[in-house]
Amino acid sequence: EDQVTQSPEALRLQEGESSSLNCSYTVSGLRGLFWYRQDPGKGPEFLFTLYSAGEEKEKERLKATLTKKESFLHITAPKPEDSATYLCPYSISSGSARQLTFGSGTQLTVLP
Amino acid sequence: NAGVTQTPKFRVLKTGQSMTLLCAQDMNHEYMYWYRQDPGMGLRLIHYSVGEGTTAKGEVPDGYNVSRLKKQNFLLGLESAAPSQTSVYFCASSFGPLERGVVLGTDTQYFGPGTRLTVL
């Protein structure tokens, strides 16, 4: 069964303490792996799309990487404003709708 | 550009009442989606549309209906609300498939701010 598992469920960091979030997936025919952040009471905000193993993308303190079984979101020297829930849904190649399948997310708290 | 907007932001219903949630996008996207988000379960797809006049079922379609009469709008209806439909509802949109020379990234979905629905 296709699925995505995110770990840890929750992570607390001190400001400036770098770390990584993990997204492990078992999917046949992966088309794309996406990263979103979601603030409380708001909709998911798009961060990155990764399409092939070895691909990397960066934005400010965030760097996303993709292997054949996992994706990592590396956070370098995080700030309190990076606190959010991070989601990594995927889409598959079959079908026309490019539907996203979500896991439960990782809740990140960055303490000042 | 406003992006994806949703109306209303909050709503409380009694069991058996009906209502319609409105989603609007101004990005000329072909594809639109309705998700629900429940604690500990992640977002789940309810219905989606691949173009004006089309709709299709997602993972959890029971108890909901949708319509896409205009390209920019996607409506989600609850005919007879049940407490199990208490949730936060998100609408999303994307360009769709790689046609007409559009480059990779067209399947990125952009989400609205959500509607928090409580059914008593």
Side-chain angles (χ1 to χ4, degrees):
Chain A
E1 179 185 354
D2 293 346
Q3 64 178 0
V4 59
T5 302
Q6 293 190 243
S7 62
E9 290 185 6
L11 180 63
R12 292 167 67 92
L13 299 173
Q14 290 295 132
E15 184 172 1
E17 179 186 2
S18 300
S19 187
S20 295
L21 311 183
N22 177 261
C23 177
S24 176
Y25 62 91
T26 53
V27 178
S28 299
L30 180 77
R31 168 175 167 79
L33 191 292
F34 302 77
W35 281 98
Y36 288 82
R37 67 169 282 165
Q38 185 175 22
D39 294 298
K42 296 189 176 181
E45 176 187 344
F46 172 71
L47 294 173
F48 305 107
T49 308
L50 302 167
Y51 288 104
S52 56
E55 189 174 1
E56 298 182 352
K57 288 190 177 175
E58 289 188 65
K59 178 181 179 181
E60 295 180 352
R61 296 177 293 282
L62 302 178
K63 179 180 178 180
T65 62
L66 182 66
T67 71
K68 290 188 176 180
K69 294 185 177 181
E70 297 176 297
S71 180
F72 294 92
L73 184 66
H74 308 278
I75 305 175
T76 302
K79 297 182 178 182
E81 54 261 42
D82 294 322
S83 297
T85 296
Y86 289 84
L87 307 169
C88 62
Y90 64 84
S91 64
I92 59 176
S93 299
S94 62
S96 63
R98 306 292 187 253
Q99 301 165 45
L100 295 181
T101 300
F102 287 81
S104 298
T106 292
Q107 185 174 1
L108 174 66
T109 303
V110 182
L111 304 171
Chain B
N1 285 355
V4 179
T5 59
Q6 293 184 232
T7 308
K9 289 184 170 53
F10 302 95
R11 186 73 186 267
V12 178
L13 291 178
K14 294 182 179 179
T15 297
Q17 289 185 319
S18 63
M19 77 162 295
T20 300
L21 282 66
L22 171 64
C23 174
Q25 52 91 9
D26 61 1
M27 297 175 282
N28 199 34
H29 284 171
E30 288 289 338
Y31 288 15
M32 296 187 73
Y33 310 81
W34 275 108
Y35 293 87
R36 61 178 287 172
Q37 186 174 38
D38 302 294
M41 297 193 71
L43 282 85
R44 292 180 292 168
L45 183 66
I46 304 171
H47 285 282
Y48 63 94
S49 167
V50 298
E52 183 178 318
T54 75
T55 63
K57 294 179 180 180
E59 180 185 355
V60 288
D62 294 343
Y64 305 95
N65 56 75
V66 287
S67 64
R68 183 109 180 260
L69 299 180
K70 294 182 179 180
K71 184 177 182 178
Q72 64 268 35
N73 295 338
F74 196 29
L75 279 62
L76 177 71
L78 287 73
E79 290 187 349
S80 180
S84 60
Q85 294 177 304
T86 294
S87 188
V88 182
Y89 292 85
F90 290 101
C91 176
S93 69
S94 68
F95 280 109
L98 302 178
E99 294 179 352
R100 305 187 192 93
V102 183
V103 300
L104 281 173
T106 60
D107 51 353
T108 297
Q109 294 185 21
Y110 296 90
F111 285 80
T115 294
R116 185 173 296 274
L117 174 67
T118 301
V119 182
L120 303 176

